[in-house]
Structures are given as structure tokens and as C-alpha cells.
Amino acid sequence: MGDLVEWQEADRRLTRRVAGWESPLVRRFLPKVQSAAEHTKLWWCAAAVMAAAGGVRGRTAAVAGLAGMGLAELLSNAVCKQVYDRRRPPEGLIPHDDVHPRPDSSSFPSGHTAAAVGFTVAAAGPWPWVGTACALPAALVAVERVHSGAHYPSDVAAGAVIGLATGLLVRHSPGILVRHLL
């Protein structure tokens, strides 16, 4: 029990530290990241650009990315949030006034982070360069979720693990299906 309390306190300290970043660049840029990530707009736009500009490889990466994102959202939002009900970080932990109204859903795991990582990992399979290009926005989404007070770092970490797992599943599912069907 003592380890859990220590872990929760470390999570709270890290939340306070990340939310306390006062750099003008951070304060100006992260709200734009939040806006782009809402309703997965950022990833739908990335998929549209990939499909339009990347030929067959781009369309394949776009479809894989959207599948990874969708599966990650399904697992994080429809399954995990229903199983584990965790309150969002209290506003008192967030030392700035940019705390937006937060949903009543469970804080654990971060669905935004799961979607971002799921998209990135799945799209990188058919088009590795895309994984590199999407990694930075995915990381910024994760940081923004803590900075804005929407999630604890452990929520974001869990979302990243879910996104990684679903992205890899999407990348490897054609081979798995072929092996089992033959």
C-alpha cells in the first residue's frame, strides 16, 4: 500500500511540474496542440495528406494509421475508462488559468495519447518516414494532456502503451491473419 501512495504522490508532483511550465512558447503552442488533437482532427488531417500525397504507400499508411487510432480509442475509451474510474487532476495542482472544462469520464488512460501513438505506430509500418514525422506531434499531445491538467502522467503513459500495442497489432495483423488462415 505504501508503494501505491508513493506512486500517486510522484504522479501528482510530476503533474504540478509539467503544468507549471511557464515558457511563453509552451503557453502559446500547447493550446494549439490541444485544439488540433480534439476529436482526433490532427490525425484525420494527417491521414488525408498522406492519402493525397503519398500514392499507394500513403493510402496504405493512412488506412493503417486510422485503424491503429480507432482501435486505440476503442480500447482506451470504451474499455479501460469503464473498468478503472479515476478522477482528473484537481485544479489546485495546475498553477495556471488555462484549465479547460474537462470531461466527466475517467482520467485513466489518456484516450488522446492512445489515439496519437496508435496512429503513429500503425502508419509507420507501411511508411516509416511517417512514423518519424508523426512522433513529435504525438509526443506533444501527450505533454499537452498533462500540462492542461486533463491527465496525470501515468494516464498518459498508459495511453501510450495502449497506442503502442494497438499500433503494433494493426501493423502485424495481416501476417497473423495469413498464418492462421493458411
Side-chain angles (χ1 to χ4, degrees):
M1 185 68 167
D3 288 342
L4 178 60
V5 171
E6 289 174 23
W7 176 259
Q8 289 171 333
E9 186 52 39
D11 217 14
R12 293 172 65 85
R13 280 193 311 270
L14 189 53
T15 300
R16 187 177 289 118
R17 173 172 263 165
V18 172
W21 289 343
E22 291 295 329
S23 159
L25 182 63
V26 167
R27 303 284 297 184
R28 194 171 336 114
F29 190 64
L30 285 183
K32 290 176 177 42
V33 171
Q34 178 180 17
S35 177
E38 283 301 310
H39 308 294
T40 62
K41 291 182 290 199
L42 175 61
W43 309 113
W44 282 99
C45 287
V49 168
M50 291 173 355
V56 172
R57 187 179 224 184
R59 288 188 295 279
T60 303
V63 168
L66 293 174
M69 177 186 75
L71 190 55
E73 284 191 300
L74 179 68
L75 186 57
S76 64
N77 296 334
V79 177
C80 295
K81 283 183 185 276
Q82 307 309 312
V83 172
Y84 188 78
D85 187 25
R86 183 181 194 187
R87 297 177 63 101
R88 306 259 173 188
E91 289 186 23
L93 278 181
I94 314 306
H96 56 76
D97 296 332
D98 295 338
V99 179
H100 301 284
R102 296 173 291 174
D104 293 332
S105 63
S106 175
S107 179
F108 184 86
S110 168
H112 285 83
T113 304
V117 174
F119 181 92
T120 300
V121 171
W127 201 0
W129 180 87
V130 166
T132 303
C134 291
L136 179 60
L140 289 172
V141 167
V143 169
E144 181 282 322
R145 301 313 291 159
V146 177
H147 186 267
S148 69
H151 291 283
Y152 290 101
S154 59
D155 301 334
V156 168
V161 168
I162 290 168
L164 178 63
T166 58
L168 289 173
L169 179 64
V170 167
R171 281 172 68 168
H172 297 291
S173 61
I176 293 168
L177 288 172
V178 167
R179 281 194 305 271
H180 282 60
L181 293 175
L182 294 178

